[in-house]
Amino acid sequence: MIQANNVINGNIGRLRKQLGITQEQLANRLGVSYQAVSKWENGQSCPDILLIPMLADVFGVTIEEIFGRTVHIFDLRKGLVLEYLFDGDVRDSSGEGRHGRLEGGKYGIDRFGRKGGALALDGRNHYVRIDQPPILSNDAFSISVWCYYDTHKILRGWHSAIVSQDGHNQNRAFQLSTKDEYITLHGFLREPDLSMNAKIVKEHWYHVTMTYEESRYRMYVGGTHSGSGGIGRHPYDLYKRYN
């Protein structure tokens, strides 16, 4: 048991440093004191079992890796070009320095129940503007977001844009948005829209990942493949074509 605890404590310290955050920042995300995190890493105590899934989520690893049962052969942060944690600000934590500007909106409760750990936006007039957007690979890229629809949201028509990119002439080149009751990648009438395969449930957190590879988009919701589409043009191709 002592050996297992040492493995868990060692992995917490290793993964925290790999993520590039302090003990206090980790503590804030988990809703515990930084002294508790310090005791874990020094082997003086172990985290509550209920915190293990949250730790795995923060570090972007599996629960098995927290327990030392597997070793990742890939650095999940390698190639990261933009990251907003919305931990009280809109600063880019990827190390690339592409900090955003908040236009309207307010900070709310995140998926861990922490106040000020998420942004409440209307998807239209409230948004985060990125003046220097990241350069995406022409071969492949992925976009990962967490989103939530509150009980008062009207799910009708196109609404609640999640990630959008406009060209110089305000022509939309990419948009992950919401159409009626479905999270949808907009095809702009040039290609079929790509939507999740289940209706949105209000007051529920969704982890949505879009990937682009081999001229094909794929959507994953909650880690489950939700659909693939023939929206084969890279956003930059559309950007250059319509600007």
Side-chain angles (χ1 to χ4, degrees), residues 18-58:
Q18 182 176 305
L19 188 59
I21 61 176
T22 65
Q23 291 181 341
E24 185 173 5
Q25 288 173 320
L26 176 58
N28 289 338
R29 296 191 198 181
L30 299 174
V32 300
S33 67
Y34 78 88
Q35 291 95 335
V37 175
S38 178
K39 288 182 179 180
W40 300 342
E41 295 187 7
N42 290 327
Q44 299 177 20
S45 66
C46 265
D48 189 282
I49 191 67
L50 296 178
L51 291 175
I52 298 298
M54 296 174 64
L55 280 163
D57 197 10
V58 169

Side-chain angles (χ1 to χ4, degrees), residues 116-134:
L119 271 179
L121 307 169
D122 65 7
R124 291 182 181 272
N125 301 315
H126 301 162
Y127 51 88
V128 175
R129 179 182 294 277
I130 308 171
D131 293 324
Q132 295 181 331

Side-chain angles (χ1 to χ4, degrees), residues 203-222:
E203 298 186 303
H204 175 80
W205 280 100
Y206 288 95
H207 183 210
V208 183
T209 302
M210 295 297 309
T211 66
Y212 177 84
E213 187 176 18
E214 298 179 345
S215 299
R216 190 174 183 83
Y217 283 99
R218 293 175 176 82
M219 176 185 286
Y220 300 85
V221 180

Side-chain angles (χ1 to χ4, degrees), residues 68-225:
R69 294 176 181 170
T70 59
V71 177
H72 277 291
I73 60 174
F74 298 107
D75 181 356
L76 296 179
R77 296 182 64 81
K78 184 178 181 180
L80 190 64
V81 296
L82 183 70
E83 180 182 52
Y84 291 145
L85 300 177
F86 300 134
D87 195 8
D89 56 39
V90 287
R91 296 183 63 80
D92 175 17
S93 52
S94 73
E96 295 295 322
R98 296 184 175 91
H99 307 306
R101 290 191 291 114
L102 182 59
E103 305 285 350
K106 59 183 180 181
Y107 289 95
I109 299 174
D110 67 11
R111 64 187 187 279
F112 300 126
R114 296 185 303 112
K115 294 181 179 179
L119 271 179
L121 307 169
D122 65 7
R124 291 182 181 272
N125 301 315
H126 301 162
Y127 51 88
V128 175
R129 179 182 294 277
I130 308 171
D131 293 324
Q132 295 181 331
I135 298 175
L136 303 177
S137 168
N138 289 324
D139 298 323
F141 66 86
S142 64
I143 298 174
S144 176
V145 298
W146 285 90
C147 55
Y148 175 97
Y149 299 81
D150 66 33
T151 187
H152 303 295
K153 187 63 185 178
I154 299 175
L155 305 178
R156 185 185 306 126
W158 283 103
H159 61 92
S160 305
I162 301 171
V163 179
S164 304
Q165 180 173 344
D166 288 342
H168 293 304
N169 297 324
Q170 300 302 310
N171 291 315
R172 189 60 50 88
F174 178 90
Q175 180 167 296
L176 178 62
S177 189
T178 319
K179 183 179 182 182
D180 297 324
E181 298 175 274
Y182 300 89
I183 297 172
T184 304
L185 177 64
H186 202 335
F188 304 108
L189 304 179
R190 299 184 290 269
E191 301 285 352
D193 297 333
L194 177 58
S195 299
M196 61 187 289
N197 53 21
K199 291 184 178 180
I200 291 169
V201 176
K202 294 181 179 180
E203 298 186 303
H204 175 80
W205 280 100
Y206 288 95
H207 183 210
V208 183
T209 302
M210 295 297 309
T211 66
Y212 177 84
E213 187 176 18
E214 298 179 345
S215 299
R216 190 174 183 83
Y217 283 99
R218 293 175 176 82
M219 176 185 286
Y220 300 85
V221 180
T224 301
H225 183 230

